[in-house]
Amino acid sequence: MTAIEPHRVVAVVGTGTMGQGIAQVALAAGHPVRLYDAVPGLAGQAATAIAGRLGRLVEKGRLDAAARDAALARLHPAGALAELSDAALVAEAVVERLAVKQELFAALEDTVADDCLLATNTSSLSVTAVAGALRLPGRLVGLHFFNPAPLLPLVEVVSGAATEPAAAERAYATARAWGKTPVRCADTPGFIVNRVARPFYAEALRVYEEGAADPATIDAVLRECGGFRMGPFELMDLIGQDVNEAVTRSVWESFFQDARFTPSLAQRKLVEAGRLGRKTGQGWFTYGTDATRACPRTEEPQEAPDSVGLHADLGPAAVLREMIEEAGIKVTRDRTPYVSHGFLALPGGTALALTDGTTATSDPSGAYIHFDLALDYRSCTRIALAPGADADPADLRAAVGLFQRLGKKVSVIDEIPGMIVARTVAMLIDFAADAAGRGVASARDIDTAMRLGVNYPGGPGEWCARLGARWAHHFLCSLDGEYPGGRYGSSPALRRRADLEAKQGRS
């Protein structure tokens, strides 16, 4: 199926930020564009705003004046829906209320030709439900752009239960022709990004609610240890606490209050207090010219040990042995035939081990300090440590000094199962595996969506291939033991993959 030809009219209904962005994208692809809004005068204001943005692109040298003038000549505000009658595609970006969207598309069916493609930009409503009242529901598809639409490449192409394959393929081809990176998705709560991304916020909120670390420290660990571009708390402030909480609540309710999607009471209180983030000047953090930036907890310099013992393999953290030796610290290999999991022995006898989903205190084999997962131990700039209640304070200082010798800042957090990065990554891996296993999208499209839609440092499928499904499954089993109730029970898809790895002899 080919894309909609550039000479065909594209209409955009709803002229807020997203509607204007979609219109600008269609203009850049060469289409005549008609803007319509139910509120008189808004379409004209939107056209003026788009002209201003194109003018700024000319000033920055990103667009020549002739191209701007040609685009503006193709942009026309419409005073009535009837002026959209010759559109080949109508994309709506109106308020997120099902009845409003259904009423709009019913009116459009009486206006446009039967071969006109209808698209909803909904991020939280069912595409199937939006199309439910239509005479020809098969031509309605979800085209979920990400804000700002002219800049962000991802578009989720969502097929409702009645969407005809030809309509979805035409929408996909059109998005690609517009220079976007489309991914195919079944109609499911949250689609790909808003479904799979929930643990990024939820686990950070849980760590905070349990008092293990403050928002600035959690953000710093996920950025500087996990490699995420933004921390969850600063990202929630940017999105808007009300918007982020509403999406979480919508997905939770759509999944019949599944424990995996449970909203946060702490975030609800923030919304109720009107502390919505950057747009109100205060959320998890305070904003404004006089605001003081919140600093993460970072340990003072400590002496590194002269040597450490290595007991068995460190699993996903195996590269630490090389790094420690390169830093001039002697690593003595243990000669015992078997230990259940790898760790580094500190001078006072405390074991330093990668978090396994339990707490350091709960390990019956001795005193432990857990360190968090890093997706790249060489490039990360911060490590989090969580000492058990019986850890030697001198060994904690030695552990801090050890990672400082490796060039890392160190944040010591209170003991919590799975720490910060590890539990977040394990949950993201499971959510992605579950979505792929249920046919929501292909594993490749899920990885693409998470990299481009929320700027993750990799796709959950890539992390699963590198860390191992068995690692993620066993980690979640440990978390499930610490927090019974189903939130951390691994999905059937992840369990099957873990079983396959076991049969293939992967360690």
Side-chain angles (χ1 to χ4, degrees):
M1 179 62 66
T2 58
I4 293 172
E5 299 84 352
H7 70 274
R8 302 289 303 277
V9 172
V10 171
V12 179
V13 180
T15 57
T17 301
M18 182 57 75
Q20 291 178 31
I22 296 171
Q24 185 176 332
V25 170
L27 279 176
H31 292 275
V33 174
R34 305 232 174 93
L35 284 172
Y36 174 78
D37 199 289
V39 179
L42 286 189
Q45 293 176 25
T48 300
I50 292 171
R53 283 197 291 275
L54 294 180
R56 288 190 290 275
L57 291 177
V58 172
E59 293 171 1
K60 295 177 181 178
R62 299 176 183 174
L63 183 70
D64 63 62
R68 175 201 59 194
D69 294 343
L72 293 179
R74 299 192 304 273
L75 179 62
H76 300 283
L81 278 181
E83 296 178 46
L84 313 183
S85 61
D86 59 343
L89 165 65
V90 180
E92 69 80 15
V94 301
V95 64
E96 285 284 272
R97 291 206 295 269
L98 179 60
V100 173
K101 293 181 187 289
Q102 288 178 326
E103 183 179 354
L104 168 63
F105 282 116
L108 284 168
E109 275 204 311
D110 294 334
T111 303
V112 299
D114 284 355
D115 63 349
C116 176
L117 185 65
L118 302 180
T120 173
N121 185 62
T122 183
S123 60
S124 60
L125 300 176
S126 164
V127 173
T128 301
V130 172
L134 294 182
R135 174 174 54 86
L136 298 174
R139 61 168 163 171
L140 188 137
V141 65
L143 271 182
H144 182 215
F145 289 78
F146 287 74
N147 194 30
L151 298 180
L152 294 185
L154 182 68
V155 177
E156 292 176 324
V157 180
V158 186
S159 293
T163 302
E164 295 174 356
E169 286 306 310
R170 190 161 175 79
Y172 183 94
T174 299
R176 183 174 288 281
W178 289 1
K180 297 301 179 181
T181 303
V183 291
R184 297 177 177 88
C185 178
D187 186 21
T188 185
F191 308 143
I192 300 174
V193 172
N194 281 332
R195 171 179 174 149
V196 176
R198 292 349 291 164
F200 184 68
Y201 311 106
E203 295 312 306
L205 287 163
R206 185 149 199 170
V207 172
Y208 166 76
E209 288 173 332
E210 293 190 27
D214 61 276
T217 299
I218 296 168
D219 276 2
V221 171
L222 280 160
R223 283 196 315 267
E224 301 167 33
C225 181
F228 292 89
R229 183 167 297 184
M230 293 184 73
F233 290 96
E234 59 183 337
L235 183 53
M236 285 184 276
D237 273 356
L238 178 64
I239 294 168
Q241 297 299 330
D242 52 340
V243 174
N244 183 263
E245 201 265 351
V247 172
T248 298
R249 186 168 295 277
S250 174
V251 172
W252 175 62
E253 291 173 348
S254 296
F255 277 109
F256 307 104
Q257 301 185 355
D258 188 320
R260 295 176 301 161
F261 299 97
T262 302
S264 162
L265 288 174
Q267 188 178 34
R268 175 98 291 258
K269 290 179 182 178
L270 212 62
V271 173
E272 291 172 344
R275 298 181 175 183
L276 307 182
R278 288 183 178 271
K279 60 188 176 184
T280 61
Q282 189 167 9
W284 293 111
F285 306 112
T286 302
Y287 302 90
T289 54
D290 298 329
T292 301
R293 182 178 178 85
C295 295
R297 178 174 177 177
T298 303
E299 297 303 309
E300 295 294 328
Q302 301 292 340
E303 290 292 326
D306 294 327
S307 66
V308 293
L310 175 61
H311 294 248
D313 186 79
L314 297 177
V319 70
L320 285 178
R321 180 188 64 80
E322 298 175 12
M323 295 172 61
I324 292 169
E325 291 178 332
E326 291 165 4
I329 299 172
K330 184 178 180 181
V331 178
T332 304
R333 278 198 168 274
D334 176 61
R335 300 299 180 185
T336 57
Y338 175 78
V339 292
S340 60
H341 51 269
F343 62 89
L344 295 166
L346 295 168
T350 305
L352 179 62
L354 175 64
T355 179
D356 61 357
T358 64
T359 62
T361 301
S362 65
D363 196 309
S365 60
Y368 271 80
I369 299 168
H370 281 172
F371 62 88
D372 210 345
L373 175 71
L375 292 172
D376 186 338
Y377 281 98
R378 286 195 175 276
S379 66
C380 77
T381 58
R382 184 179 296 268
I383 289 290
L385 301 178
D390 50 354
D392 184 344
D395 276 345
L396 176 58
R397 293 192 293 272
V400 170
L402 172 67
F403 281 108
Q404 289 173 337
R405 177 73 70 83
L406 302 184
K408 318 299 181 186
K409 296 177 182 178
V410 179
S411 294
V412 175
I413 69 172
D414 288 352
E415 196 175 20
I416 189 170
M419 300 189 68
I420 299 172
V421 178
R423 68 194 291 163
T424 300
V425 168
M427 287 291 280
L428 288 170
I429 286 172
D430 186 60
F431 272 47
D434 184 52
R438 293 176 184 271
V440 172
S442 69
R444 176 177 294 181
D445 275 359
I446 291 170
D447 275 6
T448 298
M450 302 314 292
R451 287 196 309 270
L452 299 182
V454 279
N455 289 314
Y456 283 2
E462 297 172 9
W463 300 334
C464 186
R466 178 150 42 101
L467 297 169
R470 291 179 70 191
W471 172 83
H473 170 60
H474 290 307
F475 190 93
L476 291 174
C477 285
S478 295
L479 277 179
D480 192 45
E482 298 280 349
Y483 301 104
R487 177 177 175 133
Y488 298 104
S490 59
S491 66
L494 184 63
R495 292 198 297 271
R496 287 193 296 269
R497 186 163 176 177
D499 289 342
L500 180 62
E501 283 184 1
K503 289 181 179 179
Q504 292 173 342
R506 178 169 179 165
S507 59

